[in-house]
Amino acid sequence: MATDKDILILGIESSCDETAASVVKNGRVILSNCVASQADFHEQYGGVVPELASRMHVDAVYPTIQKALSDANISLSDIDAVAVTYGPGLVGALLVGLSAAKGLCEVSRKPLVGVNHLKGHIAANYLCFEELEPPFLCLCVSGGNSMIVHVKDYTDMEVLGRTRDDAAGEAIDKIARVVGLGYPGGPKMDKAGQGGDTTRYQFSKTHMGDSLDFSFSGLKTSALNLINGLKQKGEEIDLKDFTASYQQAISDALLKNTLAAVDQTGIKKVCLAGGVSANSFLRSAFDKASKKKGIKLYYPDLKYCTDNAAMIASCGYFEYMNGRRDSLDLNAYPSLQLK
Ligand code: KG4
């Protein structure tokens, strides 16, 4: 669909513990970006409580949308489509954003565009790098997913490798809890490991032959065994060195397969995406390797790594331009895959 007119997309995101709404122009220019985070509330439970998350989305969803429209200085009638995350994520949480989006579409007669949350994470890079265009490889690493994606076009993608068990974010969050860092584990572990010795503790690695798939459950178990083994001897881990070593081991595993994907495809343009792409150990491992191997590396600004609606609006724009329209019976898919 070719057009000279600016296209404004209202994006809505509620797949986990962030209620977010944003207006984005032409898939790249952010006019507003509002996020109501529940993270502080769920901290007392050590993780997201799904039913409470849904209820908090109900409270926050319309005020957040209203703020996104008013920050962008527009009204609902000015937008071209409503893009909303319909999976993957917590079903009760997804249904709140989805139902709100449908209500807006019904009253305004604007089209509804369903967005895969993982494609949204990838699109966060378009918001930060004006010149970035497919094709490229993307390492998409979040709380629920770890995958290497061949982004052939804005809407056409192929997964080259994915985790066979835990996601990298899960492996980080679990060990963060065990060493007493609490929730949300990722940013806390990142901070705890700053300046630590990344070689002091060793963890077992899983080899997958030529496959680009990952496995993090072995690494996680080996970290648990190390902690328990030391405890039995009456010794404590050195938190700084332990968290630095653990994050380095995870980063090395993610880097190794991504470099193998570069070799296999010959594509020397790589993006990082998802919550774990905020990790400083991962970023620095990729920075170093990319310089050495002549790879052009992109990763989003920190605030676009974790859940937000600007990335949903950006992805929604490209889906909209590709002709995607969803009907008002679009359902939520908690295990939606990237094809
Ligand atoms: O993408 P995201 O916000 O939500 C999902 O779609 O899953 O990712 C959340 C994950 C959590 O596991 C969180 O601990 C992790 O991203 N995370 C980090 C960092 N910031 C967030 N992991 C490591 N280092 C960080 N700085």
Side-chain angles (χ1 to χ4, degrees):
M1 189 170 135
T3 171
D4 291 337
K5 173 188 165 300
D6 284 336
I7 301 291
L8 299 183
I9 305 285
L10 170 66
I12 300 172
E13 156 65 34
S14 70
S15 64
C16 190
D17 59 349
E18 257 102 32
T19 319
S22 164
V23 178
V24 170
K25 185 169 83 177
N26 300 333
R28 304 262 183 183
V29 182
I30 299 169
L31 301 188
S32 65
N33 185 29
C34 302
V35 183
S37 179
Q38 308 171 5
D40 290 348
F41 174 78
H42 294 289
E43 190 170 3
Q44 62 188 304
Y45 303 105
V48 179
V49 183
E51 188 190 325
L52 298 179
S54 306
R55 290 176 179 279
M56 291 181 81
H57 284 307
V58 171
D59 287 339
V61 71
Y62 276 117
T64 308
I65 292 167
Q66 275 160 351
K67 182 154 186 350
L69 290 171
S70 89
D71 284 1
N73 214 8
I74 61 165
S75 65
L76 192 55
S77 58
D78 297 316
I79 61 151
D80 292 277
V82 179
V84 63
T85 306
Y86 72 107
L90 301 170
V91 68
L94 287 165
L95 285 170
V96 177
L98 188 55
S99 300
K102 289 180 185 185
L104 294 179
C105 290
E106 174 65 11
V107 295
S108 64
R109 299 279 148 197
K110 304 287 180 184
L112 177 72
V113 178
V115 170
N116 182 318
H117 182 77
L118 303 168
K119 280 189 174 180
H121 273 306
I122 295 169
N125 284 285
Y126 299 131
L127 297 168
C128 301
F129 304 100
E130 214 183 322
E131 75 288 3
L132 177 66
E133 286 179 4
F136 55 83
L137 297 178
C138 185
L139 174 70
C140 193
V141 270
S142 65
N145 288 278
S146 297
M147 51 179 71
I148 299 172
V149 184
H150 178 188
V151 181
K152 298 176 179 176
D153 204 338
Y154 289 102
T155 56
D156 182 17
M157 306 181 189
E158 183 188 353
V159 178
L160 303 180
R162 51 164 43 102
T163 182
R164 295 198 185 168
D165 39 58
D166 296 332
E170 258 171 289
I172 290 176
D173 291 342
K174 175 73 201 279
I175 297 301
R177 209 160 35 235
V178 171
V179 298
L181 290 171
Y183 170 88
K188 291 188 174 173
M189 192 186 275
D190 200 345
K191 204 165 159 207
Q194 291 306 311
D197 178 354
T198 55
T199 59
R200 174 153 172 205
Y201 295 95
Q202 300 296 319
F203 306 94
S204 66
K205 295 188 175 95
T206 309
H207 297 284
M208 296 284 199
D210 287 340
S211 166
L212 295 176
D213 284 351
F214 303 106
S215 165
F216 291 107
S217 78
L219 209 143
K220 191 181 76 183
T221 307
S222 109
L224 287 171
N225 289 342
L226 215 151
I227 297 166
N228 291 334
L230 287 174
K231 241 187 218 153
Q232 278 166 4
K233 288 194 259 170
E235 291 172 32
E236 288 284 319
I237 52 156
D238 178 301
L239 188 64
K240 194 200 264 195
D241 290 348
F242 180 82
T243 50
S245 304
Y246 186 64
Q247 290 173 94
Q248 191 63 47
I250 289 182
S251 304
D252 289 347
L254 293 168
L255 177 65
K256 180 172 166 271
N257 286 19
T258 309
L259 292 181
V262 169
D263 286 343
Q264 280 180 27
T265 59
I267 299 172
K268 296 194 113 188
K269 197 173 359 167
V270 172
C271 292
L272 307 182
V276 181
S277 70
N279 188 263
S280 61
F281 293 83
L282 183 74
R283 288 176 172 225
S284 118
F286 271 77
D287 277 335
K288 275 187 214 137
S290 301
K291 268 194 202 110
K292 214 159 118 191
K293 303 226 165 223
I295 293 167
K296 184 92 183 89
L297 179 69
Y298 300 85
Y299 41 73
D301 298 347
L302 287 180
K303 66 176 169 179
Y304 302 116
C305 290
T306 47
D307 290 348
N308 65 86
M311 69 185 198
I312 302 303
S314 171
C315 182
Y317 165 82
F318 294 109
E319 296 285 352
Y320 174 81
M321 297 305 278
N322 196 38
R324 178 167 182 149
R325 305 288 183 272
D326 286 284
S327 60
L328 294 186
D329 62 1
L330 178 67
N331 216 326
Y333 293 88
S335 306
L336 186 67
Q337 300 284 313
L338 238 192
K339 286 193 206 91

